[in-house]
């Protein structure tokens, strides 16, 4: 039996004249992924993208799983295609539909007929197909008002489609349709979630990771690359810029008051990220900050680090509880990686009494003890790039 995927588009259908651009971007993403699973034809019409295997080697199950992580798609139906006759439709319904009705007690049939030459009209087709379902699924009932599942039959020009129910898509907007932003990616729980959330709004990601080798280890860096690969499952391919803060941290320890270490370090991070973002054409920074979660994330602390970026800083986790962030981390598969216990540059040389209500003038006074611009430049010069492809 020939099976295809029907992908229902979300918000992008609302986008008027831009719609074509959104659909094309989405099709490009799907074609890129499809290459890994064999030969597929991907076409778009009437707010549905159809993914059709071209030969028996194409791995539809693999593609189905991958499509569930593509932003811009709200629902995915697996759909059997058969010849346009009631005999073929009956056989397909009997063989294909029962697997989707396991555990369900009510259904209804919706039939559509775009080929008006088909001898039965939609009502007749729905009635007939309802009969097939009732006779092959024991205990199921028809409920036309609030069915648990809708069985659909569509009579098209070149064949009939039979499908039952819809799987949830990733939602959001196609990646690449809403600009590019630089994610400050640590090894923690929050920043991968922040990247996922902004990518969901159609933003192409790039990432920067700060390390403090040898105070942070190779393992800590590898962990961040693993997280990046996990985020890339949704966000698509991106690069991670790895920047060393070792010298900056050593200078901070030598020259500044301990209570200000974290704040000063975060100012360096913002300034360096801002420079990289400009260089690679990103329009915003993304962080995983959540208000009040730690000393450096009070309103006042954010107030003294935020101005170091000349770009907007997106903080999608700002109003979320840790538990809510963890829930998303589990859903997208980053949680187990994030909780591996490796040190982060923020956790080496941490002050015992970090300032939670810092005054900008005092922070600036501390900052003047070092040559800020020279240290930023030196860190930038030391950076290198790791390419993170989508893995299957
Ligand atoms: P996370 O769980 O994302 O690590 P966190 O609760 O540990 O966040 P902080 O360590 O204060 O919070 O970091 C706040 C944000 O700053 C992070 O979400 C991340 O965006 C950025 N950040 C922190 N450390 C790094 C790092 N080593 N490299 C890149 N970005 C970082
Ligand atoms: Mg952290």
């Amino acid at each position: 039996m020939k099976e295809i995927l029907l992908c229902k588009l979300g918000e992008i259908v609302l986008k008027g004249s831009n719609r074509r651009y959104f659909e094309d971007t989405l099709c490009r993403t799907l074609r890129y992924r499809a290459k890994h699973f064999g030969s597929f034809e991907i076409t778009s019409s009437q707010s549905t993208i159809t993914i059709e295997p071209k030969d028996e080697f194409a791995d539809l199950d693999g593609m189905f799983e991958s499509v569930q992580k593509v932003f811009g798609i709200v629902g995915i139906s697996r759909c059997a295609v058969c010849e346009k006759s009631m005999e073929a439709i009956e056989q397909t319904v009997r063989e294909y539909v029962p697997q989707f009705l396991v555990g369900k007690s009510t259904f209804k049939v919706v039939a559509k007929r775009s080929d008006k030459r088909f001898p039965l009209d939609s009502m007749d087709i729905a009635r007939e197909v309802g009969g097939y379902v009732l006779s092959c699924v024991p205990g199921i009932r028809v409920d036309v008002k609030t069915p648990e599942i809708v069985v659909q039959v569509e009579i098209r020009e070149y064949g009939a489609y039979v499908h039952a129910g819809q799987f949830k898509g990733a939602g959001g907007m196609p990646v690449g349709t809403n600009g590019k932003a630089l994610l400050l990616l640590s090894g923690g729980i929050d920043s991968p979630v922040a990247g996922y959330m902004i990518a969901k709004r159609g933003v192409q990601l790039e990432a920067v990771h700060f390390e403090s080798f040898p105070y942070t280890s190779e393992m800590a860096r590898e962990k961040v690359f693993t997280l990046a690969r996990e985020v890339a499952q949704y966000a698509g391919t991106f690069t991670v810029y790895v920047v060393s803060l070792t010298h900056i941290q050593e200078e901070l320890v030598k020259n500044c008051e301990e209570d200000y270490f974290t704040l000063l370090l975060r100012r360096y991070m913002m300034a360096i990220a801002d420079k990289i973002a400009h260089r690679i054409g990103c329009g915003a920074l993304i962080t995983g900050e959540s208000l009040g979660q730690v000393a450096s994330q009070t309103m006042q602390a954010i107030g003294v680090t935020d101005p170091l970026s000349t770009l907007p800083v997106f903080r999608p986790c700002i109003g979320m509880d840790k538990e809510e962030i963890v829930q998303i981390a589990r859903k997208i598969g980053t949680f187990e990686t994030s909780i591996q216990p490796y040190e982060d540059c923020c956790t080496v040389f941490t002050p015992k009494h970090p300032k939670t209500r810092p005054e900008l003038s005092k922070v600036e006074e501390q900052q003047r003890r070092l040559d800020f611009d020279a240290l930023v430049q030196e860190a930038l010069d030391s950076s290198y790039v790791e390419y993170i492809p989508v893995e299957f």
Side-chain angles (χ1 to χ4, degrees):
M1 182 183 310
K2 177 161 187 180
E3 209 183 7
I4 61 171
L5 302 177
L6 298 178
C7 306
K8 185 111 192 55
L9 308 190
E11 264 176 74
I12 65 172
V13 288
L14 302 174
K15 295 289 168 189
S17 57
N18 273 341
R19 178 173 151 173
R20 193 73 239 159
Y21 165 65
F22 284 82
E23 286 185 4
D24 288 349
T25 307
L26 189 48
C27 284
R28 244 195 331 274
T29 300
L30 290 169
R31 286 192 189 107
Y32 174 79
R33 289 187 181 230
K35 268 192 233 153
H36 181 80
F37 298 104
S39 182
F40 289 88
E41 183 163 305
I42 296 175
T43 50
S44 148
S45 90
Q46 295 165 11
S47 39
T48 302
I49 290 180
T50 305
I51 302 177
E52 190 175 345
K54 297 302 285 174
D55 56 37
E56 73 269 32
F57 305 112
D59 172 11
L60 193 81
D61 291 334
M63 188 59 190
F64 174 60
E65 203 175 304
S66 188
V67 170
Q68 285 171 304
K69 295 178 179 164
V70 173
F71 294 129
I73 294 171
V74 288
I76 309 151
S77 297
R78 297 184 70 125
C79 170
V81 185
C82 66
E83 207 184 278
K84 246 183 345 182
S85 70
M86 283 318 282
E87 295 74 46
I89 291 171
E90 173 171 8
Q91 196 191 345
T92 305
V93 169
R94 290 182 186 282
E95 283 174 19
Y96 186 69
V97 169
Q99 60 182 319
F100 298 102
L101 303 191
V102 175
K104 313 272 186 217
S105 50
T106 58
F107 79 105
K108 81 169 174 184
V109 179
V110 172
K112 283 189 208 149
R113 189 180 62 144
S114 54
D115 174 6
K116 301 293 178 207
R117 290 163 309 174
F118 193 74
L120 277 66
D121 71 12
S122 312
M123 295 296 282
D124 293 335
I125 300 168
R127 201 171 308 114
E128 287 279 318
V129 170
Y132 308 151
V133 173
L134 287 169
S135 71
C136 70
V137 181
I140 196 114
R141 286 184 293 114
V142 174
D143 179 344
V144 288
K145 286 218 179 78
T146 52
E148 279 176 62
I149 193 158
V150 178
V151 174
Q152 292 207 47
V153 178
E154 298 178 43
I155 311 294
R156 305 231 176 167
E157 283 309 312
Y158 45 87
Y161 284 6
V162 176
H163 47 114
Q166 201 177 61
F167 297 84
K168 213 165 150 28
M173 294 156 86
V175 167
T177 57
N178 229 345
K180 190 159 87 161
L182 183 66
L183 170 66
L184 281 75
L185 181 62
S186 70
I189 296 171
D190 309 331
S191 48
V193 169
Y196 160 85
M197 289 176 75
I198 297 300
K200 185 172 179 182
R201 297 309 300 161
V203 175
Q204 156 82 51
L205 298 185
E206 302 292 350
V208 57
H209 173 66
F210 297 103
E211 62 176 13
S212 201
F213 196 75
Y215 306 104
T216 59
S217 63
E218 297 255 357
M219 302 289 276
R221 182 193 304 158
E222 280 309 315
K223 171 186 171 181
V224 170
F225 293 157
T226 304
L227 282 172
R229 283 193 288 273
E230 287 161 354
V231 173
Q233 295 277 335
Y234 290 88
T237 298
F238 62 93
T239 47
V240 180
Y241 291 76
V242 182
V243 177
S244 170
L245 295 182
T246 311
H247 188 211
I248 292 174
Q249 288 192 279
E250 287 171 346
E251 288 298 308
L252 286 174
V253 170
K254 260 190 260 162
N255 297 286
C256 304
E257 280 175 38
E258 184 188 289
D259 295 0
Y260 290 93
F261 285 176
T262 311
L263 284 172
L264 292 167
L265 187 67
R266 295 198 58 74
R267 282 167 67 92
Y268 277 98
M269 284 188 186
M270 294 301 261
I272 293 167
D274 182 70
K275 289 237 160 30
I276 295 177
H278 279 290
R279 197 167 70 201
I280 62 177
C282 289
L285 302 184
I286 306 165
T287 77
E289 288 161 303
S290 163
L291 194 61
Q293 193 187 80
V294 289
S296 59
Q297 294 174 28
T298 63
M299 194 188 299
Q300 294 86 344
I302 292 174
V304 302
T305 54
D306 186 82
L308 274 289
S309 170
T310 60
L311 295 169
V313 182
F314 296 154
R315 299 179 173 89
C317 302
I318 196 74
M320 293 167 73
D321 293 345
K322 194 74 189 185
E323 200 39 51
E324 294 171 302
I325 302 173
V326 164
Q327 230 175 51
I328 298 177
R330 284 189 195 280
K331 183 181 86 177
I332 64 173
T334 53
F335 183 73
E336 294 300 327
T337 310
S338 289
I339 58 173
Q340 288 172 18
Y342 297 114
E343 62 302 311
D344 182 67
C345 64
C346 287
T347 56
V348 293
F349 310 120
T350 36
K352 279 186 218 58
H353 307 288
K355 291 273 179 227
T356 55
R357 290 198 178 77
E359 278 173 51
L360 184 59
S361 59
K362 298 228 170 91
V363 176
E364 285 172 342
E365 191 270 310
Q366 291 288 320
Q367 186 175 301
R368 279 195 291 276
R369 298 181 181 190
L370 300 173
D371 187 343
F372 188 84
D373 293 341
L375 284 167
V376 165
Q377 193 52 49
E378 184 195 303
L380 282 168
D381 293 342
S382 78
S383 70
Y384 75 94
V385 177
E386 180 82 12
Y387 175 73
I388 308 289
V390 182
E391 286 189 350
F392 301 97

